[in-house]
Amino acid sequence: MSQIDIQRLGLHGDGIADGPIYAPLTLPGETVEGEIDGTRLTNMRVVTPSEHRVKAPCRHFKSCGGCQLQHASDDFLADWKVEVVRQALAAQGLETDLRPVVTSPPKSRRRAVFSARRTKKAALVGFHARASDVIVEIPDCQLLHPDLLPAREALFQLCQIASSRKGEISATVTLSDAGLDMSVVGGKPLDGPLLARLAQEVERFKLARLTWDGEVVATRAVPAQRFGAASVVPPPGAFLQATKEGEAALLHAVKQAITQGDSGIDLFAGCGTFTLPLAKTYRMHGVEGEGAMVEALDAGWRRAQGLKHVTVEARDLFRNPIVSEDLKYDFAVIDPPRAGAEAQVAELAKSNLSEIAYVSCNPVTFARDAAVLNQAGYHLDWVQTVDQFRWSSHVELASRFVRK
Ligand SMILES: C[S@@+](CC[C@H](N)C(=O)[O-])C[C@H]1O[C@@H](n2cnc3c(N)ncnc32)[C@H](O)[C@@H]1O
């Protein structure tokens, strides 16, 4: 047994002691003991707890790998997430006004990926245990919206009907206006009899839509999402902000970041989370890599009343960014995946846009891109940290850049 002192929390939420030794489920300031296995502490026991240590609110926390940080108080996590942003910016020589984090409440996640595996007698449905392929059942999950939990029952049935004993199936489930929108991968191939059987289950569990390995089995009710005045039907499994509250916080910040002009471009627009609400005030151009999402955005705009003109474009913005000469808008919104948007930001840096709202799910790539914009004369006015992945180490943010 060795005793170590935890110095800080790493980007994946593990406590880190000198070495470095990584100790999951620990907090800075704690003395813990256990067995050192390479760079990891195992069989950990807390000797001196941190004042920020709390009893985990969920009874599944010890076994389930869905949450990493339920042992830390809300205040600690709120400060830590802002600190992650501060440090990422500082590493690039940047400082700005860091607004206090807006955290989504418990039981608010409207989208989750469940795992399921057939057993000898029935099936197991839930989340993976920490760093393991064991599936843990989560009937009292404190993270998911209560309306998402019935997906487990449906998946329990689907798994017994249509997964092989060896394989695991995985279901991305999204709460829509019309109920559960479920997209399953990894099951038996879809043939005529299976299609008919699955369609019965769609009725039985009143699913809005069921998709099997990318093919729609049945749409019982249109699984729409509301973005401002528009109602959009996202393609199966499409990206959606994780909570309604998180989406509202990001949109609020984006709206605050834009103070002038008539027209804007939304880069990495998804199904229109920002494009469509902004179209109430501005002419918008939405650019997104996934063609089906672009079509959903466009159809949503065409059905909506009272919005300004919206155009769309399916385009790979990593390989083929919009060049600065074509960025003839008053502002840009940009919300790239975790890798950030190196190529597109190089073009934004050369543009004459007056304001940029940059939304990010990775403070490190955000800070790298922010440094490029700053160097090119865009002042980073503020950053709003948003926590819609409660009790995890994910950090999201929205920010405002303004041409100096
Ligand atoms: C973080 S999501 C944001 C989507 C949207 N702004 C929202 O809030 O719902 C990033 C989006 O970038 C898209 N994307 C990923 N790689 C891309 C690429 N190389 N070019 C264009 N879009 C891409 C994804 O399909 C996804 O919709």
Side-chain angles (χ1 to χ4, degrees):
M1 282 283 172
S2 310
Q3 269 201 5
I4 58 172
D5 296 325
I6 304 301
Q7 310 291 345
R8 61 196 166 89
L9 220 50
L11 286 179
H12 300 293
D14 289 349
I16 304 179
D18 286 344
I21 308 286
Y22 296 87
L25 307 178
T26 63
L27 293 174
E30 292 189 322
T31 301
V32 298
E33 66 176 21
E35 282 150 33
I36 295 176
D37 178 5
T39 58
R40 290 193 83 70
L41 190 77
T42 58
N43 296 326
M44 188 273 293
R45 187 179 77 83
V46 178
V47 179
T48 318
S50 156
E51 58 180 320
H52 302 295
R53 181 170 281 276
V54 295
K55 184 176 179 303
C58 178
R59 73 177 172 95
H60 306 303
F61 179 59
K62 268 209 171 123
S63 49
C64 174
C67 293
Q68 294 107 54
L69 286 160
Q70 286 202 0
H71 57 294
S73 71
D74 284 357
D75 286 351
F76 172 85
L77 286 177
D79 290 346
W80 178 68
K81 294 207 174 188
V82 175
E83 192 52 32
V84 167
V85 176
R86 187 195 311 281
Q87 286 183 13
L89 288 172
Q92 297 288 344
L94 296 173
E95 272 182 13
T96 191
D97 169 19
L98 294 173
R99 298 177 168 184
V101 64
V102 178
T103 304
S104 296
K107 301 189 176 181
S108 63
R109 276 284 284 278
R110 60 171 165 182
R111 188 167 187 272
V113 182
F114 295 94
S115 298
R117 183 178 294 132
R118 251 174 73 188
T119 58
K120 267 194 189 138
K121 288 198 177 136
L124 262 179
V125 178
F127 291 150
H128 281 155
R130 224 162 263 121
S132 155
D133 61 359
V134 171
I135 294 172
V136 178
E137 293 181 313
I138 41 137
D140 292 327
C141 177
Q142 299 297 302
L143 198 62
L144 302 182
H145 192 289
D147 294 347
L148 206 55
L149 283 173
R152 292 163 37 252
E153 238 173 279
L155 196 56
F156 182 82
Q157 281 304 325
L158 297 180
C159 185
Q160 290 178 83
I161 295 166
S163 84
S164 67
R165 183 70 64 76
K166 286 186 204 131
E168 185 178 304
I169 63 174
S170 149
T172 301
V173 188
T174 307
L175 210 52
S176 78
D177 291 350
L180 297 174
D181 185 8
M182 190 180 268
S183 175
V184 178
V185 291
K188 288 182 184 164
L190 197 58
D191 55 15
L194 181 57
L195 187 91
R197 185 75 179 82
L198 293 176
Q200 284 173 0
E201 299 304 314
V202 170
E203 284 303 321
R204 179 169 162 207
F205 288 100
K206 304 210 174 335
L207 301 179
R209 175 169 64 180
L210 176 64
T211 310
W212 201 258
D213 277 325
E215 206 172 316
V216 176
V217 170
T219 304
R220 214 189 105 259
V222 178
Q225 303 289 339
R226 184 146 282 281
F227 298 136
S231 174
V232 174
V233 187
F239 178 90
L240 192 70
Q241 298 293 346
T243 68
K244 270 198 172 154
E245 293 81 356
E247 179 182 302
L250 292 171
L251 178 61
H252 181 69
V254 165
K255 285 181 172 168
Q256 282 190 331
I258 310 303
T259 62
Q260 51 186 298
D262 302 313
S263 69
I265 184 165
D266 185 8
L267 299 157
F268 304 91
C271 293
T273 304
F274 304 125
T275 319
L276 291 164
L278 288 172
K280 186 170 177 226
T281 316
Y282 309 101
R283 277 178 283 115
M284 294 297 299
H285 184 55
V287 189
E288 156 64 42
E290 292 287 329
M293 292 172 90
V294 172
E295 281 168 29
L297 195 173
D298 185 51
W301 172 69
R302 285 175 194 284
R303 279 191 301 267
Q305 303 274 313
L307 295 184
K308 301 259 161 120
H309 198 249
V310 172
T311 49
V312 292
E313 186 178 347
R315 181 163 172 151
D316 184 334
L317 293 169
F318 286 174
R319 293 199 179 145
N320 188 17
I322 307 228
V323 293
S324 57
E325 297 78 30
D326 292 338
L327 289 168
K328 295 199 180 78
Y329 304 90
D330 296 307
F331 65 85
V333 177
I334 181 164
D335 180 15
R338 289 186 65 76
E342 208 165 11
Q344 186 58 68
V345 163
E347 297 300 328
L348 288 173
K350 289 186 266 171
S351 76
N352 270 323
L353 298 158
S354 41
E355 290 165 312
I356 299 172
Y358 192 140
V359 177
S360 166
C361 54
N362 183 346
V364 174
T365 54
F366 165 73
R368 177 201 68 198
D369 291 348
V372 173
L373 292 173
N374 180 65
Q375 190 70 34
Y378 280 102
H379 165 68
L380 176 55
D381 193 13
W382 47 256
V383 173
Q384 170 68 67
T385 305
V386 172
D387 186 6
Q388 53 178 343
F389 291 94
R390 203 189 167 85
W391 299 314
S392 86
S393 56
H394 280 281
V395 180
E396 305 207 16
L397 62 89
S399 62
R400 175 172 194 257
F401 292 86
V402 58
R403 252 267 171 254
K404 285 183 218 164

